[in-house]
Amino acid sequence: MAMAKAGARSARTTGGARDRSAATRAALVQAAIETLREAGFAGCSAREVAQRAGCNQALVFYHFGSVSGLLLAALDDVSERRMAAYRPLIEGHGASLPGLAAAAREIFAEDLAAGHVKVLVELIAGAPSVPGMGEQVAERLAPWRELAEAAVRGAVGQSPLATLAPVKEIAHGLVAGFLGLEMLAELDGSPAAALALFDRFAALAALVDQAGLLGQQGLMVLLARALTSREGEGRR
Amino acid sequence: MAMAKAGARSARTTGGARDRSAATRAALVQAAIETLREAGFAGCSAREVAQRAGCNQALVFYHFGSVSGLLLAALDDVSERRMAAYRPLIEGHGASLPGLAAAAREIFAEDLAAGHVKVLVELIAGAPSVPGMGEQVAERLAPWRELAEAAVRGAVGQSPLATLAPVKEIAHGLVAGFLGLEMLAELDGSPAAALALFDRFAALAALVDQAGLLGQQGLMVLLARALTSREGEGRR
DNA sequence: GTCTATACTTGGATAGAC
DNA sequence: GTCTATCCAAGTATAGAC
C-alpha cells in the first residue's frame, strides 16, 4: 500500500539513483508530517513542504503527483510505523483492561509528542477541500479502527463490561476520544489534560479489574438488579 | 463580543443603510458557516464565501478585515446561538445524569445535522496556518468548556460518580468526545455511530441513576472494597 | 532524478467610482 | 456600503535543461 506510487520510478534505475530517489521521497514525507503538524493542512503547500525537505518544489509532483498525494503518503507512513509499534503493545498487555489502559496511555503520549494523531486530524479536517480525499482518508483510518476494536475486544470481550455496550461502539468512542483529545491538546498547547484523563482511565480500569473478582456473580448481578427493580425510584 | 467589529460601521449611518449592512454581514457569516461545513477551512477563500453569500468579495475585507476575521465571526455566531439554545436544556434536565445524557443527545443530533460542531473542528484544525488564530479560537471555545463543566457538575456533582474523577476531567473528555465524534461522522458520511454511542450513554446513565439508589451505602462501598481488598487477586 | 524557468490560476487585499 | 478594477503574492503544475 505504501508502495502504490513506486511505479513512478523506472524499473531499471541504478542502485545509487534509487537510493537517492528513496531518500528524497522519505524527506518529502517527513517534511509533510512536520508541516502538517506545525502549519496544518491549509499551510501545506508544495513549496512549503519542499523547502523543509531541502529539495525542489517540482519533486512533490514528480514523486507524488499532487500535494494531496504527498499528504496521503505521509498518512500511510505514519500509519504503517505506528501500527507496527502498537500492535505488539496491545497484543502483549491487552488481555486485561488495566493493560489496555496503560498501553493506550503510552501510545497516546508518544503520539502527542510526535504529532502522529495531528496528521490524521489535519487530513480528516482538510479532506473536504479536495474531491475524493475523504474516502482516501477513511480507507487509511480503517485499520486503526479495527485495531481499536481488537484491543477493546481483547480487554473487555469476555468481561461483564462487554454486556454494557457492543465492542464496536466502545471502539468508536475510543477513536473519537483520541482525535478530540489531540485537538484540545493542540489548542491548549499542552497534552496535560489529555494525559490526566488517560491516567484516570487507567486507575478506573484497575478498579474495575479488581471489581472483576465479583464477576458475573457480583457486578453484573448488581447492575441487573438496578436495571430491573424500578419500585423504589423516589430518589430526588 | 459579537459586536467587536461593529466599529467598522459609521455611527451616523441611516436606518436603511444599517439594515443592509447588517444583512450583508449576516449573509457573509451564514455563507462562511456553510462553506466551512462543505469545503472545510482550506476551502474558505474570500471569493468562495462571498459567492455563496451573493455579494462581492471585497465586502469580506470591508466588514471583517480578513478572511480569518470572518471565520471567527462565524464561530461567534454559532457559539452565541447554540449557547442560548443549550443553556436552558442543560439547566432544565441537567439535575440528573439521564437528563444530561438525553439533553446531550438532542444537542448533538441537532448540531451534527446543522454542522455547528464542524465549524469548531475546522477552525481548530485550520488555526495553525494563521498566526495568532489558535488563541482566538481557544477563547471562543472556553465558554463551551465551562458549559460542559457546569452540566457535568449539575448531573454528577453530588453523586458517588463524582468521586471517581474530577468534574473538570470528565468535562474535558466530553468536549473531546464531541469533537472526535463530529470528525468521524463527517468521514463516515453518517452520524449513526455517534448517535448510537449517545443512546448507549443515555441508557447507561439511566442504569447508574437507578443504581444511585445504592448511593454511598451501595455502589461506593462496593468500589471502595474493590479498591482496598487485594488479597484474592488470582484472577486469570 | 533533480533542477530552473515559466505558464497559469487562485487568493488576499486595496483604491476609487458609484 | 457596495461594486469594479486591479495589484501582488502564493500556489499548482509542467517543460525542458542538466
Side-chain angles (χ1 to χ4, degrees):
Chain A
M1 187 177 287
M3 298 295 281
K5 284 279 179 182
R9 200 166 61 220
S10 159
R12 291 169 196 260
T13 34
T14 68
R18 185 165 45 191
D19 281 0
R20 184 148 179 231
S21 174
T24 298
R25 289 176 62 92
L28 280 171
V29 164
Q30 274 317 108
I33 293 170
E34 189 186 316
T35 311
L36 233 21
R37 182 169 151 62
E38 288 169 21
F41 182 91
C44 271
S45 67
R47 288 180 147 94
E48 177 65 33
V49 176
Q51 191 191 334
R52 288 181 196 240
C55 73
N56 194 275
Q57 166 260 149
L59 291 178
V60 169
F61 303 96
Y62 175 76
H63 285 290
F64 302 95
S66 63
V67 174
S68 56
L70 168 58
L71 297 183
L72 287 171
L75 179 54
D76 278 335
D77 184 78
V78 167
S79 267
E80 211 170 303
R81 284 188 293 121
R82 296 317 287 167
M83 199 76 86
Y86 299 174
R87 231 190 275 274
L89 238 180
I90 284 174
E91 284 166 2
H93 307 228
S96 72
L97 193 56
L100 174 64
R105 200 226 122 103
E106 284 317 300
I107 287 171
F108 197 65
E110 226 177 300
D111 280 346
L112 271 186
H116 294 133
V117 188
K118 184 91 194 291
V119 169
L120 193 50
V121 164
E122 289 294 333
L123 285 191
I124 294 176
S129 70
V130 181
M133 193 164 189
E135 290 82 349
Q136 301 278 324
V137 174
E139 270 177 38
R140 285 158 175 84
L141 180 58
W144 287 98
R145 298 171 88 157
E146 282 157 25
L147 183 66
E149 211 179 304
V152 171
R153 201 183 308 279
V156 308
Q158 65 276 53
S159 92
L161 282 178
T163 61
L164 297 183
V167 167
K168 269 189 176 283
E169 279 185 24
I170 301 176
H172 189 85
L174 264 186
V175 172
F178 269 65
L179 297 177
L181 288 176
E182 160 70 44
M183 302 195 82
L184 290 183
E186 190 64 35
L187 207 57
D188 290 342
S190 156
L195 293 179
L197 208 54
F198 268 92
D199 288 336
R200 183 75 52 186
F201 178 54
L204 289 179
L207 191 150
V208 165
D209 191 56
Q210 290 174 333
L213 290 167
L214 305 169
Q216 309 290 348
Q217 293 80 34
L219 185 58
M220 275 313 290
V221 169
L222 244 162
L223 292 173
R225 192 184 307 158
L227 260 177
T228 50
S229 79
R230 295 174 181 263
E231 49 261 306
E233 61 186 13
R235 180 174 118 84
R236 199 215 180 311
Chain B
M1 187 177 289
M3 301 293 281
K5 283 279 177 182
R9 201 165 60 217
S10 159
R12 291 169 196 259
T13 33
T14 68
R18 184 166 45 192
D19 281 0
R20 183 147 180 233
S21 174
T24 298
R25 287 176 63 92
L28 280 171
V29 164
Q30 275 316 108
I33 293 170
E34 189 186 316
T35 311
L36 232 21
R37 182 169 151 63
E38 288 169 21
F41 182 92
C44 272
S45 67
R47 290 179 149 92
E48 176 67 33
V49 176
Q51 190 190 333
R52 287 182 198 241
C55 74
N56 194 274
Q57 166 261 149
L59 291 178
V60 169
F61 303 95
Y62 175 76
H63 284 290
F64 301 96
S66 64
V67 173
S68 55
L70 167 57
L71 298 182
L72 287 172
L75 179 55
D76 277 335
D77 184 77
V78 167
S79 266
E80 211 170 303
R81 283 189 293 122
R82 297 315 288 165
M83 197 76 85
Y86 300 174
R87 230 191 275 273
L89 239 179
I90 284 174
E91 284 167 1
H93 308 229
S96 72
L97 193 55
L100 174 64
R105 200 226 122 104
E106 284 317 301
I107 287 171
F108 196 64
E110 227 177 299
D111 280 345
L112 270 186
H116 294 133
V117 188
K118 184 89 194 293
V119 169
L120 192 51
V121 164
E122 289 294 333
L123 285 190
I124 294 175
S129 70
V130 181
M133 192 164 189
E135 290 82 350
Q136 301 279 323
V137 174
E139 270 177 38
R140 286 158 175 84
L141 180 58
W144 288 97
R145 298 171 88 159
E146 281 157 26
L147 183 66
E149 211 180 305
V152 171
R153 201 183 309 278
V156 307
Q158 65 276 51
S159 92
L161 282 177
T163 62
L164 297 183
V167 166
K168 270 191 175 280
E169 279 186 23
I170 301 176
H172 189 85
L174 263 186
V175 172
F178 269 65
L179 297 176
L181 288 177
E182 160 71 43
M183 302 196 82
L184 290 183
E186 190 65 34
L187 206 58
D188 290 343
S190 155
L195 293 179
L197 208 56
F198 267 93
D199 288 336
R200 184 74 52 185
F201 178 53
L204 290 178
L207 191 151
V208 165
D209 190 55
Q210 290 174 331
L213 291 166
L214 304 170
Q216 310 289 348
Q217 292 81 34
L219 185 58
M220 276 312 291
V221 169
L222 242 162
L223 291 173
R225 191 185 306 158
L227 259 177
T228 49
S229 78
R230 294 174 182 263
E231 49 261 306
E233 61 187 12
R235 180 173 119 86
R236 200 225 181 295

